[in-house]
Each structure stands twice: as C-alpha cells, then as structure tokens.
Amino acid sequence: QVHLVESGGGSVQAGGSLRLSCQVFGYTYSSYCMGWYRQAPGKEREGVASIESDGSTMYADSVKGRFTISKDNAGENLYLQMISLKPEDTAMYYCAAGTRYCSDGLDAGMDYWGKGTLVTISS
C-alpha cells in the first residue's frame, strides 16, 4: 500500500515562495509517474507538475517558470519549489503517484494520493 504525506503548505504574500515536500512510503518501482496537483474550493482538480522515473518533468502552463518539481534518487521524497506565488495559486496541494507514464499527460489518472497541504497566497 502506497502512502503519501505532504508538508510545507502555509500562508504567504504574493511574490513569496514555498517548498512543498511529500514523503512516499511503499512506492514500488513499477510506478512511473509522480506529480503535484491542486484544487481550489468548488473548482476542478488540476495537474501542476509531474516527474517521470527518468527525471523528465512536465508543468502546467500556469506555473511554468515559477514551480520546480524534483525528487530524490530513491523516489522516497517528492518536492515542489514554488516562487513568485500569486493569489490564484491558492489551493489544496496534493502529491500523487501513478502506475503510468507521465507522458500520458498531467491530467491523466493517478492511483495514490496524499491528504493534501493547504497553500494560501494573499495579495
């Protein structure tokens, strides 16, 4: 059973930075894709960034150039470095893992999800 635990969320002013972390427990090498998603209240979930087993990354246009996804070599920790934060970045952020290729797309399905960490950006 894969268990994901996010941390690092909080409240910051626009223009600030945050670094989200996700601890991954029980993740097998058969899973190819890991990523970050976010969902604002009453809104649809959107894919933010993903990272392939080979390190290839993909970003939503809305965060490209501002967010950076990374992982450790063992795949036991996933990170999202966020800079130049905007009020529209406010959302619950989830880390996720999927038994698929990230090249299938940011909004393709994931199999395992964390409980989320809240990011609030004030103007």
Side-chain angles (χ1 to χ4, degrees):
Q1 180 69 49
V2 176
H3 185 212
L4 309 175
V5 181
E6 304 96 334
S7 62
S11 299
V12 298
Q13 294 185 327
S17 301
L18 280 174
R19 184 174 185 252
L20 306 184
S21 299
C22 175
Q23 295 184 54
V24 184
F25 302 92
Y27 194 62
T28 68
Y29 296 113
S30 63
S31 296
Y32 294 102
C33 186
M34 298 178 68
W36 288 95
Y37 293 77
R38 66 186 183 187
Q39 186 170 28
K43 305 297 182 181
E44 295 182 346
R45 182 202 69 202
E46 64 173 333
V48 174
S50 66
I51 185 164
E52 198 76 75
S53 58
D54 67 359
S56 300
T57 58
M58 184 179 298
Y59 297 92
D61 288 341
S62 59
V63 307
K64 196 171 297 181
R66 300 187 298 118
F67 291 11
T68 302
I69 187 171
S70 62
K71 62 178 181 177
D72 61 19
N73 293 142
E76 296 177 342
N77 293 279
L78 182 69
Y79 307 96
L80 186 68
Q81 180 66 55
M82 307 183 292
I83 65 171
S84 302
L85 285 161
K86 306 174 180 180
E88 51 263 46
D89 294 319
T90 295
M92 185 72 73
Y93 283 71
Y94 301 89
C95 63
T99 53
R100 64 174 180 86
Y101 296 101
C102 289
S103 58
D104 289 340
L106 271 177
D107 295 316
M110 290 293 209
D111 300 297
Y112 306 101
W113 297 84
K115 293 181 179 179
T117 186
L118 183 63
V119 171
T120 303
I121 313 302
S122 60
S123 61

